Amino acid sequence: MNLSTRKKWDTAAQGYDLLTRGTDQRWAQHKAHFFSPMQGKVLFLAAGTGLDFKFFPSQQDITAIDISPKMVKLARQRAIEDYDGIIDIHEMDVHQMLFPDETFDQIYTACTLCSIPNPVEGLIHLRRVLKPHGELHMFEHTASHYPPFNLILNMMSPLMSRFGPEMNRDTVTNVRRAGFAIHRVENLHLDILKVICATRGKI
Amino acid sequence: MKNQLYYFVGDLVTTTTTGGLTGAACALVVQNGWNSLVAMALGMLLGMFLALILNAFLGILFGALEVMILTMLTGMVTGMIVAMQATGGISFYSAVRLGVEVGSGVIAFTYLTNSLLRGEVRQ
């Protein structure tokens, strides 16, 4: 397990809800729409404090993981209070997932690939646990290809990554490099916040 | 978006506040007769510093990522422009007004760019 990543997110856990409050509310409608196709055996990567649980469609049976024990503790409480289905939350590193191959029908991530130490390697592990025709749904902030936004993200990334996420990852390219077949990319805010839908691709 | 007006007003407050404060700071720090390149670099750094502080508060209200883009862009551009002007002499009021104008320009530019980039991307 990556201990430095775990420590970083343990530290962030206490103020996480406050710091992400604005973004959480701003994109609430989009997130509800994003999570609406959830069905079958679902993995939710990096549950955080469980802020996204309220957007999940009701009565689902979802498995969630997070690397931070403090986040997991808060998320478990929220799963009981905010969700009418089952959310089984595990403390687990995406690079060392204990699930057997081809376990899940769908995998969802929300602002997660910015925080995984090795994003392509993490995505390869996600691909491993996804069923052959399984789907990957991502709600992510990424690098921009356009100035001056790319300049700002590149400047902010070294500072932000000390306390939280990296700001300048080319997640679309990383998803392709991990072997997924991308079916849809939709920009929600500039070319920074986007929804990415992919399938496992050729095996 | 549920409260589009709320977030538009929030973004406008964010950029104009960042611009106004950066303009004021540049007018107070940069002196008449300074080397314009040094002043421009200092103004940009000053703007970025103020943007970081404002981002911590305004991000909670209007979205951390969206506010970060707006505050940083406004802070950098305002810092450079007002600091350059200040090397030739600028009143405090004019510096603040120029900062607010830059902030308004930044929100217009960002919203226009967003309208061009939003939507499905052809793969």
Side-chain angles (χ1 to χ4, degrees), chain A:
Chain A
M1 183 172 281
N2 189 314
L3 294 177
S4 62
T5 303
R6 186 170 75 170
K7 189 179 174 191
K8 180 166 78 174
W9 290 105
D10 268 350
T11 306
Q14 201 167 13
Y16 185 82
D17 287 1
L18 180 66
L19 291 174
T20 57
R21 180 182 169 276
T23 302
D24 183 59
Q25 291 180 353
R26 188 165 188 150
W27 299 103
Q29 215 173 359
H30 284 81
K31 279 207 169 171
H33 178 69
F34 168 73
F35 287 115
S36 63
M38 267 187 172
Q39 60 176 358
K41 197 155 175 56
V42 176
L43 173 66
F44 180 50
L45 179 66
T49 61
L51 273 175
D52 286 332
F53 295 168
K54 59 182 175 289
F55 302 123
F56 291 177
S58 65
Q59 299 292 331
Q60 300 292 312
D61 186 354
I62 296 159
T63 303
I65 65 168
D66 199 284
I67 195 169
S68 156
K70 288 189 180 173
M71 291 276 194
V72 167
K73 189 179 172 189
L74 293 166
R76 282 186 178 138
Q77 188 62 35
R78 194 160 260 150
I80 296 165
E81 291 169 358
D82 285 5
Y83 192 60
D84 63 356
I86 298 166
I87 306 177
D88 186 17
I89 307 167
H90 302 266
E91 185 190 318
M92 204 181 284
D93 186 340
V94 69
H95 299 100
Q96 295 164 340
M97 284 189 295
L98 302 174
F99 307 116
D101 293 358
E102 301 179 5
T103 302
F104 297 101
D105 297 299
Q106 294 181 329
I107 297 175
Y108 280 80
T109 75
C111 297
T112 302
L113 267 291
C114 50
S115 313
I116 294 173
N118 303 302
V120 176
E121 196 185 309
L123 283 159
I124 289 170
H125 285 284
L126 289 181
R127 193 164 169 264
R128 176 184 71 76
V129 300
L130 195 60
K131 287 180 181 173
H133 298 290
E135 300 166 359
L136 174 67
H137 297 265
M138 309 172 84
F139 189 102
E140 297 286 337
H141 64 85
T142 68
S144 173
H145 292 110
Y146 298 96
F149 309 111
N150 53 3
L151 174 73
I152 292 168
L153 295 172
N154 288 336
M155 283 195 312
M156 289 299 289
S157 198
L159 176 69
M160 295 293 287
S161 62
R162 295 171 80 93
F163 312 102
E166 295 206 10
M167 307 303 296
N168 58 352
R169 286 192 171 164
D170 189 349
T171 301
V172 175
T173 301
N174 288 342
V175 170
R176 276 205 193 91
R177 285 175 61 198
F180 286 98
I182 294 178
H183 292 274
R184 190 170 72 92
V185 176
E186 183 185 354
N187 289 333
L188 298 179
H189 184 65
L190 300 166
D191 64 335
I192 298 169
L193 189 66
K194 54 185 68 170
V195 168
I196 304 164
C197 297
T199 51
R200 187 171 162 171
K202 288 179 183 172
I203 301 164

Side-chain angles (χ1 to χ4, degrees), chain B residues 30-79:
Chain B
V30 177
Q31 301 299 310
N32 197 351
W34 278 22
N35 180 294
S36 57
L37 280 177
V38 172
M40 194 174 75
L42 181 70
M44 190 178 81
L45 289 173
L46 207 54
M48 288 166 66
F49 176 71
L50 286 169
L52 277 177
I53 294 170
L54 287 169
N55 189 28
F57 297 103
L58 295 170
I60 294 167
L61 295 173
F62 308 120
L65 176 73
E66 299 78 8
V67 165
M68 186 191 78
I69 297 287
L70 293 172
T71 55
M72 289 299 285
L73 190 54
T74 306
M76 286 165 65
V77 176
T78 303

